[in-house]
């Protein structure tokens, strides 16, 4: 008789956690806490000096007891993502947890060198591309987790993603810009994080790899500080209603470390509880469509 395999309870201790956006804010707080809990880290950063500072901060906390690797990439650039993924595959035998956390918002419409609107490129296409490039290695780790930082901001894209305006020309048009078009664009990308998680979880069914996402709440970070005086003033006012980074990172750390959620996949969490996103975020049809569209948006960089 074949006995049931007994699984070890999950924890971050001894796991290899690859995280984007760990040089600031929520990602930095989560990286520190996960290192303290015994995880080895790979941080994907765009700024070498900030990455070195991050490693120094983590080593100071752990006394150098855990490993911290640095991988440099600009997540707005698909060639850079492809390059860093190949470096990660060379240097990392296993990836137990992938955390797609880096994110930004841009008040002006900027196209990346791949011709993609920048908020969409960094918040959605970067996680999509990085995850798909690393997926086989993640699956080889047996039980693994993929976590993406979404936001309550997805509620701004109430009607869903404007698939007919993916480069956001209408969103950033003069009229829509006056009505906060950039916020709606940001909302679309955070909705994309949830839909991406839904479809990823479906594709990963039966593999032992779970995909979940979460809302950190309103958190005091460097977010939206590069968008001019008005944005900085708005963030300064919002600071009064925001939580500290450690609190903002709590659900992320829990998703990476807790045994309680083993086996759960395709879910959206807030404050360490499952949460209900908008109807658009629950649409399996949108999730499949987003996957198809995203595949076509990364195809050009595959051959260049
Ligand atoms: N703060 C909030 O209230 C809030 C609420 C809901 C969701 N979120 C989400 O939380 C996540 C983290 O944001 P945060 O609030 O912690 O903001 P943050 O302090 O500005 O941190 C953002 C991180 O992303 C990195 N990053 C941005 N663009 C990048 C690029 N092109 N290539 C590589 N890395 C890049 C930044 O690197 P640098 O250090 O080099 O700038 C930084 O490490 C984002 O996905 C955001 O949408 C935030």
């Amino acid at each position: 008789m074949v006995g049931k395999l007994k699984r070890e309870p999950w924890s971050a201790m001894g796991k290899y956690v690859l995280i984007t956006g760990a040089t600031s804010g929520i990602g930095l707080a989560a990286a520190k806490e996960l290192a303290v809990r015994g995880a080895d880290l790979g941080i994907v950063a765009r700024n070498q000096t900030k990455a070195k500072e991050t490693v120094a901060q983590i080593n100071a906390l752990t006394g150098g007891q855990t490993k911290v690797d640095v991988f440099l990439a600009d997540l707005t650039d698909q060639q850079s993502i492809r390059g860093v993924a190949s470096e990660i595959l060379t240097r990392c035998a296993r990836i137990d947890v992938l955390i797609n956390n880096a994110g930004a918002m841009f008040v002006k419409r900027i196209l990346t060198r791949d011709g993609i609107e920048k908020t969409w490129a960094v918040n959605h296409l970067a996680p999509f591309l990085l995850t798909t490039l690393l997926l086989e290695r993640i699956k080889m780790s047996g039980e693994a987790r993929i976590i993406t930082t979404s936001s309550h901001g997805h509620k701004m894209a109430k009607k869903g993603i404007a698939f007919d305006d993916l480069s956001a020309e209408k969103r950033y048009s003069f009229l829509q810009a006056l009505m906060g078009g950039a916020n709606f664009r940001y909302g679309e990308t955070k909705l994309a994080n949830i839909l991406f998680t839904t479809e990823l979880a479906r594709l990963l069914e039966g593999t032992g790899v779970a995909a979940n996402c979460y809302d950190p709440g309103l958190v005091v970070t460097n977010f939206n500080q590069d968008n001019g005086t008005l944005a900085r003033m708005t963030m300064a006012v919002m600071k009064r209603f925001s939580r500290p980074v450690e609190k903002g990172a709590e659900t992320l750390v829990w998703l990476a470390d807790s045994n309680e959620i083993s086996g759960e996949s395709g879910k959206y969490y807030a404050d360490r509880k499952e949460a209900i996103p908008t109807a658009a975020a629950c649409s399996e049809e949108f999730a499949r469509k987003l996957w198809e569209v995203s595949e076509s948006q990364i195809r050009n960089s595959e051959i260049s």
Side-chain angles (χ1 to χ4, degrees):
M1 188 180 156
V2 183
K4 199 175 170 191
L5 277 177
K6 195 174 176 304
R7 258 189 189 167
E8 286 294 311
W10 176 280
S11 84
M13 166 83 86
K15 299 286 191 309
Y16 193 84
V17 179
L18 185 73
I19 175 167
T20 69
T23 48
S24 171
I26 296 160
L28 176 58
K32 284 179 177 171
E33 183 57 31
L34 287 169
V36 166
R37 294 184 190 199
D40 288 323
L41 297 175
I43 63 169
V44 180
R46 61 177 162 177
N47 179 320
Q48 191 159 24
T49 310
K50 284 184 90 171
K52 274 189 186 162
E53 278 167 19
T54 302
V55 174
Q57 284 187 43
I58 293 170
N59 283 339
L61 275 176
T62 62
Q65 291 297 301
T66 60
K67 183 163 89 147
V68 193
D69 296 323
V70 172
F71 300 96
L72 291 175
D74 176 355
L75 296 174
T76 61
D77 180 340
Q78 295 187 14
Q79 280 309 331
S80 182
I81 298 170
R82 287 183 185 279
V84 85
S86 135
E87 187 190 345
I88 292 165
L89 291 175
T90 307
R91 287 172 56 191
C92 303
R94 55 186 300 128
I95 303 164
D96 302 289
V97 182
L98 168 63
I99 300 175
N100 291 307
N101 165 74
M105 186 173 127
F106 303 95
V107 286
K108 291 203 176 104
R109 180 171 177 269
I110 304 163
L111 294 185
T112 67
R113 74 177 192 145
D114 303 297
I116 308 287
E117 188 281 315
K118 207 169 172 183
T119 328
W120 186 257
V122 68
N123 293 3
H124 166 61
L125 275 187
F128 180 84
L129 182 55
L130 188 65
T131 304
T132 48
L133 291 170
L134 300 178
L135 206 50
E136 288 311 310
R137 182 63 46 86
I138 295 170
K139 283 187 198 166
M140 278 165 57
S141 307
E143 201 182 350
R145 299 181 176 187
I146 300 171
I147 306 160
T148 302
T149 304
S150 177
S151 170
H152 50 280
H154 81 275
K155 293 178 184 164
M156 283 183 286
K158 215 180 191 170
K159 293 184 187 155
I161 292 163
F163 286 108
D164 61 346
D165 186 29
L166 276 183
S167 65
E169 283 179 57
K170 290 183 205 149
R171 283 277 184 238
Y172 285 95
S173 67
F174 181 69
L175 260 186
Q176 286 214 19
L178 283 180
M179 295 186 297
N183 292 313
F184 289 104
R185 179 52 162 181
Y186 175 72
E188 282 182 308
T189 67
K190 293 288 126 181
L191 169 60
N193 293 152
I194 303 175
L195 294 169
F196 160 69
T197 299
T198 306
E199 185 61 4
L200 182 62
R202 192 183 72 76
L203 296 169
L204 287 171
E205 254 170 34
T207 63
V209 183
N212 289 298
C213 61
Y214 76 101
D215 166 31
L218 198 56
V219 192
V220 185
T221 66
N222 280 336
F223 192 79
N224 206 9
Q225 295 298 318
D226 295 331
N227 280 318
T229 313
L230 185 61
R232 272 200 302 279
M233 278 164 63
T234 310
M235 294 312 283
V237 172
M238 279 161 67
K239 202 170 172 180
R240 299 184 55 197
F241 310 101
S242 303
R243 34 177 75 176
V245 277
E246 292 75 17
K247 180 76 186 161
E250 226 174 60
T251 302
L252 174 51
V253 171
W254 176 75
L255 285 170
D257 182 47
S258 169
N259 186 49
E260 209 181 308
I261 53 135
S262 282
E264 301 293 345
S265 192
K267 295 191 172 161
Y268 172 73
Y269 293 88
D271 292 327
R272 301 197 294 171
K273 284 199 263 313
E274 191 180 346
I276 310 289
T278 58
C282 298
S283 163
E284 289 179 11
E285 189 193 328
F286 285 166
R288 283 178 206 217
K289 178 152 190 187
L290 176 69
W291 197 276
E292 274 170 34
V293 164
S294 309
E295 277 182 329
S296 72
Q297 287 190 303
I298 58 164
R299 212 161 281 146
N300 280 345
S301 63
E302 202 174 4
I303 42 177
S304 61

